[in-house]
Amino acid sequence: MAATAENLIDTPPGTPAPATPSFFQTTMGKRVAVGGGVALILALMIAVWMWSQAPEYRVLFANYSDRDGGAITASLDQMGVQYKFSEGGNAILVPAEHIHDLRLKLAAQGLPKGGNVGFELMENQKLGVSQFLEQVNYQRSLEGELARSIQSLGSVAAARVHLALPKPSVFVRDQQKPTASVLLNLQPGRALDPGQVSAIVHLVASSVPELTTGNVTVVDQNGALLSDTSNKGAGGKSLDPTQLKYVDQVQQNIIKQVESIIKPLVGEGNVRAEATAEVDFAQVDTAAEMYKPNSPPEPQAIRSTQSSEVVGAGGAASGVPGALSNQPPGVNTAPIQGAPPAEAAAPSAPTSKNSTTNYEVDKTIRYEQRPMGGIKRLTVGVVVNHRRIVDPATGKVTVRPLAAAEVAQINELVKQAMGYNQARGDTLNVTNAPFDGVDKPAEAVVEPTWWSDPANFPLFKDLARYAFVAAVIAFLYFRFLRPLLRPAIKKFDEATAVPEEPKEEEKDEDAEEEVADTPAEEAIKEEEKMRQDMGYRANLKMAQELASKDPRIVANVIKGWLGSNE
């Protein structure tokens, strides 16, 4: 302050007055600037820390209807859970640590309903509802339950089911079969394979009485027909996806069996096998009735026997026809001994006998039913690598082909493993040939390190976030906050520091120095003090003259003094 006054006093008349200092150049302004900077740095550090502690939000539900969205947000408000919407409002986000608990609680409340009304519609039936309205509500409930079941599939985002249920009729000719249509809205980038489409068709057909799979139509959101029923009218001549899957499964099982039995002989990676199976999917029912003549040595079975015998009359007919000739014979009398013999009786008529025997015919009736899926023919090809021999001295690898006996042994083992049947027409080919790159050493399996394990990625993410927050806070403190607080800390330390009392030795030395001053030195000090007084008086006189000549300069000087004292 004194230096500034002296400079202004020494300024010759006529020089322009210095500019008024700004607010931030004053002591109060500097203090305000330092305080604002400290507050700003602290605010940034607190914001970074709060950002690091902010919860991570994840999707609770997505692609919901407006009605379900309103019910879900109302329930979250009642539970006091913070939530927010994703861009576009297609998903509700909640803190990750509460997502599973919230899903269970909302599921207990029946949310989300998916926009489909299920059998809960039947719970609020009013008294006096007509039969037609009851039937409509039942159909809506059934359609909603089917849509919910279909939406549980991972590839299906939304589904709608339309049922056409005809009225029952007592006349057979007027009866109609129900039909169903299913509209699927698939997830982005997802598609249904024929097996999944068939599963949806059977699911709908099994849920509606008298509904057949041929009367179920499945369409996706692009209008593509997924349930193609064109081959059903021709008796299903084309192969079903399950049949193709069965053929592939049979071939893979044969390959696995062949390779598993050859690997112990030639080593891992030295055998390759492929199989082709011809499967008969025809279902054949055969009924045969065969006849053949009986052979003489075989016992003959008698089916039936018929015999007849005809005996002739006792004599020629005699007498007069009528009642008198039809009298019974007389009483027989015993012959009298000694009496003359009677005349000989006339000879009797001849007797005929007929006999007929029927034997069973040799007949064979056979009913044969062959199930579908039988193997008609197998074709298997096996390639075996050459034998590798490692020289223990040099470590060099040499390759030599297998012996004929070894190839024959492998051939027999493959036949046993594949179930070779020559009568069926099976073929097998075993080839011994070197594989490409056989001299190259086997590559070691490198296990993933802990930093490349995907399971540790969430941990790395949290560590990186905390490290970033620590680095930002440290940078703000050491670069900005500490330099701003350093003057205040220094003044605080100086204000709170207790002055140390000088030691006795230092007091004695000071006293000795004071005593040691000579009269000449005291004269010099007095002369310097007089010069300072004379300079002060001269400056004061100059200031008085300047004030009398140009008071405006003096006023500016006083204003500067007052501004610097604020």
Side-chain angles (χ1 to χ4, degrees):
M1 182 69 67
T4 305
E6 293 176 358
N7 293 334
L8 291 174
I9 293 172
D10 294 340
T11 304
T15 57
T20 305
S22 62
F23 174 75
F24 291 102
Q25 293 179 353
T26 62
T27 304
M28 183 62 69
K30 293 180 180 178
R31 292 177 181 177
V32 172
V34 171
V38 172
L40 179 61
I41 299 302
L42 289 177
L44 289 176
M45 295 173 65
I46 294 173
V48 172
W49 175 255
M50 292 181 63
W51 172 80
S52 65
Q53 298 298 322
E56 182 182 1
Y57 282 81
R58 292 186 180 179
V59 177
L60 178 64
F61 293 110
N63 298 325
Y64 48 82
S65 62
D66 295 339
R67 180 178 300 176
D68 288 342
I72 291 171
T73 54
S75 180
L76 293 178
D77 291 335
Q78 292 179 357
M79 291 185 286
V81 178
Q82 296 181 356
Y83 64 90
K84 61 182 181 179
F85 297 95
S86 64
E87 297 182 1
N90 296 326
I92 299 177
L93 307 179
V94 296
E97 61 270 14
H98 303 307
I99 185 169
H100 301 292
D101 186 23
L102 292 175
R103 284 179 179 175
L104 293 177
K105 290 181 179 179
L106 293 175
Q109 301 177 10
L111 296 175
K113 297 180 180 179
N116 297 316
V117 181
F119 280 113
E120 65 271 9
L121 184 63
M122 308 297 295
E123 298 176 357
N124 300 323
Q125 290 288 337
K126 297 180 181 180
L127 185 64
V129 178
S130 62
Q131 184 179 2
F132 174 76
L133 186 57
E134 288 182 352
Q135 183 66 25
V136 171
N137 290 338
Y138 171 75
Q139 182 173 344
R140 288 181 59 195
S141 303
L142 185 58
E143 291 174 352
E145 293 294 335
L146 289 174
R148 290 178 182 177
S149 300
I150 296 173
Q151 286 177 187
S152 61
L153 298 177
S155 301
V156 180
R160 294 193 64 184
V161 179
H162 302 280
L163 298 177
L165 303 178
K167 295 181 179 179
S169 176
V170 296
F171 300 102
V172 177
R173 63 183 179 182
D174 294 337
Q175 290 180 358
Q176 297 179 0
K177 296 294 182 180
T179 58
S181 301
V182 181
L183 177 62
L184 301 179
N185 187 6
L186 303 180
Q187 297 285 358
R190 304 291 293 274
L192 296 177
D193 56 16
Q196 292 175 322
V197 176
S198 178
I200 294 175
V201 170
H202 284 79
L203 173 66
V204 176
S206 302
S207 303
V208 181
E210 298 183 1
L211 178 61
T212 60
T213 57
N215 292 335
V216 180
T217 304
V218 181
V219 183
D220 63 0
Q221 73 272 20
N222 298 323
L225 180 63
L226 302 180
S227 58
D228 188 6
T229 58
S230 58
N231 58 343
K232 295 182 180 180
K237 295 181 180 180
S238 61
L239 289 179
D240 190 79
T242 56
Q243 296 177 355
L244 298 176
K245 184 177 180 180
Y246 173 74
V247 173
D248 182 71
Q249 184 178 1
V250 170
Q251 296 176 168
Q252 294 299 326
N253 289 337
I254 294 175
I255 294 172
K256 183 178 179 181
Q257 293 174 0
V258 171
E259 291 184 351
S260 63
I261 199 172
I262 303 301
K263 282 180 182 178
L265 299 179
V266 298
E268 183 72 23
N270 292 322
V271 59
R272 296 289 186 273
E274 291 294 336
T276 302
E278 296 181 9
V279 182
D280 185 10
F281 290 103
Q283 188 174 1
V284 180
D285 296 334
T286 304
E289 185 175 356
M290 296 179 293
Y291 298 89
K292 64 178 181 179
N294 294 323
S295 302
E298 296 180 358
Q300 299 178 357
I302 298 176
R303 182 176 183 180
S304 62
T305 302
Q306 182 180 1
S307 61
S308 62
E309 181 178 359
V310 179
V311 181
S318 60
V320 178
L324 295 178
S325 61
N326 291 333
Q327 296 297 326
V331 180
N332 294 329
T333 58
I336 301 174
Q337 295 181 359
E343 297 179 358
S348 60
T351 301
S352 62
K353 295 182 179 181
N354 296 325
S355 178
T356 303
T357 302
N358 296 323
Y359 295 95
E360 290 288 353
V361 179
D362 190 359
K363 180 177 68 173
T364 302
I365 299 176
R366 184 179 64 184
Y367 295 96
E368 182 181 0
Q369 183 177 7
R370 290 186 298 170
M372 58 187 302
I375 298 177
K376 297 172 59 177
R377 187 169 178 265
L378 286 178
T379 302
V380 179
V382 181
V383 180
V384 182
N385 191 15
H386 282 180
R387 184 79 65 184
R388 300 178 60 189
I389 301 175
V390 181
D391 190 358
T394 61
K396 185 178 180 181
V397 179
T398 58
V399 179
R400 67 172 180 83
L402 299 178
E406 293 176 339
V407 176
Q409 182 183 10
I410 292 174
N411 194 359
E412 293 297 328
L413 289 175
V414 173
K415 286 184 178 180
Q416 297 296 328
M418 63 175 285
Y420 181 80
N421 188 354
Q422 186 176 2
R424 192 172 53 190
D426 297 347
T427 58
L428 172 64
N429 186 9
V430 179
T431 303
N432 180 221
F435 287 1
D436 186 16
V438 69
D439 295 332
K440 297 180 181 178
E443 296 181 358
V445 179
V446 180
E447 297 182 357
T449 55
W450 62 272
W451 60 80
S452 61
D453 190 1
N456 297 329
F457 287 169
L459 177 61
F460 296 156
K461 182 179 179 181
D462 295 338
L463 292 177
R465 183 173 61 181
Y466 292 141
F468 174 75
V469 171
V472 171
I473 293 176
F475 174 76
L476 294 175
Y477 175 76
F478 289 104
R479 182 65 179 83
F480 299 101
L481 186 60
R482 187 177 179 182
L484 292 175
L485 296 177
R486 186 176 298 169
I489 295 173
K490 186 177 181 181
K491 290 182 180 179
F492 178 78
D493 293 341
E494 292 176 355
T496 57
V498 178
E500 297 181 358
E501 296 182 357
K503 298 181 180 179
E504 296 180 356
E505 297 178 355
E506 295 178 354
K507 291 181 179 179
D508 296 340
E509 291 178 357
D510 294 339
E512 291 177 357
E513 291 178 356
E514 292 177 356
V515 173
D517 290 340
T518 60
E521 293 178 351
E522 292 179 357
I524 294 173
K525 290 182 178 179
E526 290 179 358
E527 185 178 358
E528 290 179 356
K529 187 176 181 181
M530 290 177 63
R531 289 179 180 177
Q532 291 179 356
D533 293 340
M534 290 177 65
Y536 173 74
R537 292 174 183 175
N539 292 333
L540 181 60
K541 185 177 180 181
M542 186 182 296
Q544 291 176 355
E545 293 177 355
L546 182 62
S548 61
K549 293 181 180 179
D550 194 353
R552 187 170 49 185
I553 296 176
V554 178
N556 292 334
V557 172
I558 295 174
K559 287 182 181 179
W561 291 351
L562 294 176
S564 61
N565 291 330
E566 290 180 354

